[in-house]
Amino acid sequence: MSIRLRLTVYWAAVLGGILLIAAVAMFKLFTLEQWGSLDAALLEEADDTAEDMARAGLPGALELAKALSKELDLGPVRRVRLVTRSGVLADFGGAGVAPPALDPDFRSRGIFQTADGHFRFAVVSLVISGQQAYLEDGVDAHTIARSIERLGDILLLLVPLVLAMCVGGGYWMAGRSLQPFAALATALDSIEPSNLSSRLPVPEVADEVAHLTLVINALLERLERASANERRFASDAAHELRTPLAVLRTGLEVALARQRSVEEGRNALESALQEVVRLCRIADELLMLARLDREATVDRKPVNLGEIVSEIGAAIEPVAQAKQIDLRITTRNDAIVDGNSGHLRRLIYNLLDNALKFTPDHGIVELGVERNGDKAVLRVADTGPGIESADLPMIFERFYRGRAAGKNQGSGLGLSLCREITRLHGGEITATSRPGGGSEFVATLPLAKSGTLPLGPSRTGRIVRHLPNRAAS
């Protein structure tokens, strides 16, 4: 069932209920008003006449009954009867009207209606000359009965007619109200996957349709950006894989072109191994990026960021010693974050590896963890060439290598992985060039909400390696 038809059905149900209640209430009120006025006047005349009859005696009562039967102010026909145990003392007016059946003990009082509903009697008991008697004062009420019947017929005809007209109008209004959405769907259907740059026209009136159009345009913009990133990612991945594969193929072809010595064969295999290692690294990083793109969240558990920093610093220290780099590590035990230990290790390792790669011999690399309010701050700084201002906006893009890369043949995916890992952990990462030279990367992660790990006393440890040919810093 379409939205238009559902709206019409709901509107018909609500309106039908309202019209039915209003019609029944109107009919009941009109009926009570018509009969109430007549009954009150009829009963009042009967009471007054009964009092006069009781005082006047039997001859006077007969005259009063005759006079009452001639009063036609309440209806065109009137019948007045005076009845005792011994029989009917007086009967004037419409003789063809059947009188009501009353209590023989003279305890009846009130308004009585004939079977056809066209005659109403006011019955009052009285005492005349020592006898119990009934005064039956009846009046023809067919005009009121017919007016009530006509009102019922009119309502039976009018309510369905009004309901049908309102339902038709509601169906038309629902169609008019939904027309902008239909136009929006048509315009959206015309946008092809190959042309995501198209946007929907935004209505001038700031209503729900305009808001929905803006939301869809924002979604199209994100889809266009994601599609462009995917295409660029596929192109860059193919370009990055083509170079090492070409080098590997050329080296193998040259090695197989003629008979070579053992040393030449070893050199060719070592060169091929280097390219294979690079290919494996690129494939591993591409696979991890693909997994991170599919993950909306990561499997989280409390992780001591300071311990991971200490472990990775100790593991990578030989690399720093080989380049005569002063590696300084600052940690603390209360930097507990909710996260994935493997992802966080990759984040720290990539940032530290990037700093060691670009720091010249005898340089300094600083790795530290701090707390800032409810955030854990991971900071990696170096004394390398720094990052040019033109490279800063693109430094975290996939396969992007800055102008300062030089001979450092990285894949261009390490910092992209760092950004994705930080994003999945609800944090952010920034890169800046230090005024005195070098670069600094800062990753901010939210601390764990509850201390589920036992926390030792906060400590700050500094590990500084002094190589033989340089002074202690």
Side-chain angles (χ1 to χ4, degrees), residues 410-472:
S411 65
L413 293 174
L415 293 179
S416 297
L417 281 171
C418 293
R419 180 182 62 180
E420 295 303 318
I421 292 171
T422 306
R423 179 183 61 83
L424 282 176
H425 284 78
E428 59 181 13
I429 186 170
T430 58
T432 56
S433 284
R434 304 173 77 180
S439 59
E440 183 178 56
F441 289 83
V442 178
T444 305
L445 302 171
L447 290 171
K449 292 184 174 60
S450 60
T452 54
L453 286 182
L455 301 181
S458 176
R459 67 175 177 84
T460 300
R462 187 180 181 193
I463 304 173
V464 181
R465 300 297 181 222
H466 300 281
L467 300 179
N469 59 349
R470 57 186 299 241

Side-chain angles (χ1 to χ4, degrees), residues 364-381:
I364 300 174
V365 173
E366 299 175 356
L367 172 63
V369 176
E370 305 171 1
R371 284 185 56 147
N372 184 8
D374 60 347
K375 305 289 184 182
V377 180
L378 173 67
R379 193 183 310 274
V380 179

Side-chain angles (χ1 to χ4, degrees), residues 147-171:
S147 65
I148 293 174
E149 291 175 1
R150 283 198 301 270
L151 177 62
D153 294 339
I154 291 173
L155 291 176
L156 287 176
L157 176 65
L158 191 60
V159 169
L161 180 62
V162 172
L163 181 61
M165 294 176 60
C166 291
V167 169
Y171 186 77

Side-chain angles (χ1 to χ4, degrees), residues 50-62 82 84-86 89 126-133:
E51 291 178 2
D52 295 339
M53 286 179 175
R55 289 193 297 267
L58 183 58
L62 296 178
L82 190 61
T84 64
R85 291 184 186 275
S86 58
L89 300 181
L126 69 156
V127 177
I128 300 178
S129 300
Q131 299 184 72
Q132 288 284 342

Side-chain angles (χ1 to χ4, degrees), residues 172-451:
W172 177 79
M173 286 190 297
R176 291 280 297 177
S177 301
L178 293 174
Q179 188 174 2
F181 292 97
L184 187 64
T186 302
L188 187 60
D189 186 60
S190 65
I191 298 178
E192 299 293 336
S194 58
N195 187 26
L196 293 177
S197 60
S198 300
R199 296 293 181 269
L200 301 175
V202 181
E204 296 180 359
V205 181
D207 55 4
E208 289 80 0
V209 178
H211 177 68
L212 179 60
T213 305
L214 291 174
V215 172
I216 293 176
N217 283 340
L219 175 61
L220 290 173
E221 184 176 353
R222 293 195 297 272
L223 288 175
E224 181 186 15
R225 187 165 58 247
S227 178
N229 290 338
E230 291 296 328
R231 290 195 298 269
R232 189 177 73 250
F233 178 72
S235 176
D236 292 343
H239 176 75
E240 291 295 326
L241 293 174
R242 182 180 61 181
T243 301
L245 286 173
V247 172
L248 180 60
R249 176 181 177 181
T250 301
L252 293 176
E253 288 176 348
V254 171
L256 296 174
R258 61 181 177 82
Q259 193 71 26
R260 294 181 178 274
S261 64
V262 175
E263 186 65 26
E264 290 175 335
R266 182 180 180 83
N267 292 336
L269 289 176
E270 289 179 350
S271 177
L273 178 61
Q274 291 179 359
E275 297 303 325
V276 170
V277 170
R278 184 182 177 194
L279 282 172
C280 290
R281 182 181 301 167
I282 293 175
D284 179 61
E285 291 176 340
L286 285 174
L287 180 61
M288 188 169 184
L289 273 174
R291 289 174 177 171
L292 290 175
D293 284 341
R294 290 196 302 268
E295 290 181 1
T297 59
V298 296
D299 295 331
R300 300 177 183 272
K301 63 180 182 179
V303 177
N304 192 322
L305 201 61
E307 290 182 359
I308 297 179
V309 167
S310 299
E311 293 173 8
I312 293 178
I316 210 168
E317 185 179 353
V319 179
Q321 286 182 339
K323 292 187 64 175
Q324 299 182 340
I325 292 176
D326 186 4
L327 179 60
R328 303 176 180 180
I329 302 176
T330 304
T331 64
R332 56 188 303 157
N333 278 348
D334 56 353
I336 310 297
V337 300
D338 281 330
N340 183 286
S341 177
H343 289 346
L344 292 175
R345 288 178 183 273
R346 176 60 70 96
L347 168 66
I348 298 170
Y349 176 81
N350 282 0
L351 291 177
L352 188 55
D353 180 68
N354 185 73
L356 292 174
K357 186 188 303 180
F358 287 97
T359 301
D361 294 349
H362 307 291
I364 300 174
V365 173
E366 299 175 356
L367 172 63
V369 176
E370 305 171 1
R371 284 185 56 147
N372 184 8
D374 60 347
K375 305 289 184 182
V377 180
L378 173 67
R379 193 183 310 274
V380 179
D382 61 64
T383 56
I387 306 172
E388 294 188 13
S389 57
D391 294 330
L392 281 174
M394 305 293 294
I395 198 67
F396 293 105
E397 296 297 323
R398 298 174 182 181
F399 297 111
Y400 185 82
R401 288 192 290 269
R403 296 168 178 80
K407 64 180 180 178
N408 295 299
Q409 299 298 318
S411 65
L413 293 174
L415 293 179
S416 297
L417 281 171
C418 293
R419 180 182 62 180
E420 295 303 318
I421 292 171
T422 306
R423 179 183 61 83
L424 282 176
H425 284 78
E428 59 181 13
I429 186 170
T430 58
T432 56
S433 284
R434 304 173 77 180
S439 59
E440 183 178 56
F441 289 83
V442 178
T444 305
L445 302 171
L447 290 171
K449 292 184 174 60
S450 60

